[in-house]
Amino acid sequence: MKFLEATSQHMDNNIYAQQNEKFLLECQLAQRDEYSQAKRANRLKSIMTLAFAIFSVVVSILDCDTLSALSSLFAVGLVVFNKYSDGYISSHKKHAASIQQYIDVTLFSSIIGGATSEWGELPNKTDLAKTTSKFLGVDTSDMKNWYSDYSSLPGEAQVFHCQRENVRWDYGLHKSYICLQLGILLVAVVAMIASMFIVNPNFIKLICILSWLTPLVEYIYSVCKEVIKSNSLLKEIDAFCDKIENKLSGDNNVSIKQELIDLQYKIRERREVGFLIPDWFYKMRKRKHQKQEDSIAETIVNLSQENGEQK
């Protein structure tokens, strides 16, 4: 009986099993909701900015004093709105990042030991209770198995590969989203130029089409610029991951706990300032990315077995 209990405890002493505890799943729902609120605000901000750009083009073409005055009022209102939106978005992103940090630190510290305080500031119990209270009784099945199965690896290796999975997942989403934005722009350009030649092929029509394309180009450029900036942070973190993995593979007797803590700090910082991938795009890519991550995890575990790195 004691042997069975010990075996059960050993099996549960891994991130893959512990991540599906009820409260942690509720925390996952809470952090997703916080990010979704930030994304909705960011979407509204983008719509308002794009609408203003289009309205400005129309005003410049019509040359109407009344519309010009309205455009000026729109511009002032947009500045105030954007300033409020930026604060709102930043607040929710930071809160979501802190909740995800609590989840990660709870899992990681339980596997490799030590106090959770080593991993930086975490949300307090009151904040967590308040944030998760609206998700009591809500179906959490969609949040299960957040991390792929590295359970047969040593503790520090489990933590590292889960951290790297976060970085790799985000990087893949960012690359795909940039491709989507550039694809939309290409389709819009081709469609408008084709319509010009079909309907009324002249120089004036070309100038008008280019003026209407300007807001779309400017919007997509700003989005791609943000995504690329976020991607550059992910590349820096990935380079840091390479150094940790080299150390992890080189000598299993050398602890990399401090490096893992440093890596987690970097991941949290990126979560707080990184570009927000829209929920619809995340859901569209989720199954493919998860399948790929599970395949990567399986390969890493198999290679570790072959190299005798498991304990």
Side-chain angles (χ1 to χ4, degrees):
M1 186 67 177
K2 288 183 178 179
F3 172 77
L4 291 174
E5 290 177 356
T7 303
S8 176
Q9 289 176 358
H10 174 74
M11 290 177 62
D12 291 340
N13 188 30
N14 64 75
I15 294 170
Y16 189 69
Q18 291 186 22
Q19 67 180 336
N20 292 326
E21 291 180 2
K22 182 175 179 293
F23 182 67
L24 293 182
L25 291 176
E26 290 171 352
C27 286
Q28 289 284 19
L29 287 174
Q31 67 88 8
R32 185 176 68 176
D33 182 65
E34 287 292 310
Y35 274 127
S36 292
Q37 290 186 57
K39 290 174 184 179
R40 285 193 291 270
N42 193 55
R43 183 168 62 248
L44 179 59
K45 177 185 172 183
S46 298
I47 291 171
M48 293 289 287
T49 302
L50 191 60
F52 173 71
I54 294 173
F55 185 63
S56 297
V57 172
V58 174
V59 170
S60 66
I61 294 173
L62 297 178
D63 192 23
C64 173
D65 291 340
T66 302
L67 289 178
S68 295
L70 287 175
S71 179
S72 298
L73 288 175
F74 195 168
V76 173
L78 190 61
V79 170
V80 176
F81 175 77
N82 283 346
K83 186 175 181 180
Y84 170 79
S85 296
D86 289 341
Y88 180 87
I89 292 167
S90 177
S91 174
H92 281 280
K93 283 170 69 174
K94 288 182 177 179
H95 193 207
S98 72
I99 297 172
Q100 185 60 52
Q101 183 78 348
Y102 169 81
I103 297 167
D104 288 343
V105 170
T106 299
L107 293 170
F108 300 164
S109 62
S110 70
I111 297 301
I112 62 177
T116 56
S117 58
E118 295 178 89
W119 300 77
E121 184 180 355
L122 299 174
N124 58 51
K125 294 178 181 178
T126 301
D127 179 45
L128 286 171
K130 181 180 178 181
T131 305
T132 59
S133 61
K134 55 184 174 181
F135 298 103
L136 294 176
V138 176
D139 181 23
T140 58
S141 58
D142 190 46
M143 307 307 296
K144 287 185 176 181
N145 300 332
W146 180 270
Y147 293 115
S148 297
D149 189 2
Y150 295 99
S151 57
S152 60
L153 297 179
E156 289 186 349
Q158 287 186 50
V159 172
F160 169 73
H161 287 297
C162 286
Q163 289 175 310
R164 189 152 210 182
E165 181 179 325
N166 275 319
V167 178
R168 191 167 50 241
W169 183 290
D170 279 348
Y171 186 64
L173 278 178
H174 280 59
K175 285 175 61 179
S176 300
Y177 194 66
I178 286 180
C179 292
L180 174 69
Q181 294 297 316
L182 294 177
I184 291 173
L185 178 60
L186 179 62
V187 169
V189 170
V190 171
M192 287 190 174
I193 292 177
S195 65
M196 180 196 74
F197 284 107
I198 293 172
V199 178
N200 187 13
N202 58 59
F203 181 72
I204 300 300
K205 187 71 174 178
L206 176 62
I207 297 301
C208 290
I209 287 175
L210 291 176
S211 68
W212 280 101
L213 274 175
T214 300
L216 179 62
V217 172
E218 185 178 2
Y219 169 72
I220 292 178
Y221 170 76
S222 65
V223 169
C224 289
K225 185 178 178 180
E226 283 189 56
V227 178
I228 290 170
K229 182 179 178 181
S230 188
N231 249 1
S232 67
L233 293 175
L234 288 167
K235 285 182 179 179
E236 290 177 9
I237 297 174
D238 194 52
F240 186 63
C241 287
D242 284 336
K243 295 179 181 178
I244 297 176
E245 186 159 8
N246 289 335
K247 188 173 181 179
L248 180 67
S249 302
D251 188 350
N252 287 333
N253 294 321
V254 176
S255 174
I256 57 167
K257 182 178 179 180
Q258 188 54 52
E259 285 88 343
L260 297 178
I261 292 173
D262 293 341
L263 175 57
Q264 192 62 31
Y265 271 97
K266 293 178 183 294
I267 291 173
R268 177 176 182 165
E269 288 172 1
R270 208 237 34 113
R271 285 170 174 162
E272 291 178 344
V273 301
F275 180 79
L276 294 170
I277 299 293
D279 284 338
W280 65 266
F281 188 76
Y282 167 79
K283 291 175 182 177
M284 183 177 72
R285 305 289 297 181
K286 180 181 177 182
R287 181 173 294 181
K288 179 181 178 180
H289 276 277
Q290 189 60 60
K291 186 177 180 180
Q292 183 179 13
E293 288 301 330
D294 289 341
S295 176
I296 290 172
E298 184 179 355
T299 302
I300 288 173
V301 169
N302 289 337
L303 288 173
S304 297
Q305 287 179 327
E306 291 175 7
N307 296 330
E309 294 178 5
Q310 288 179 288
K311 293 182 180 179

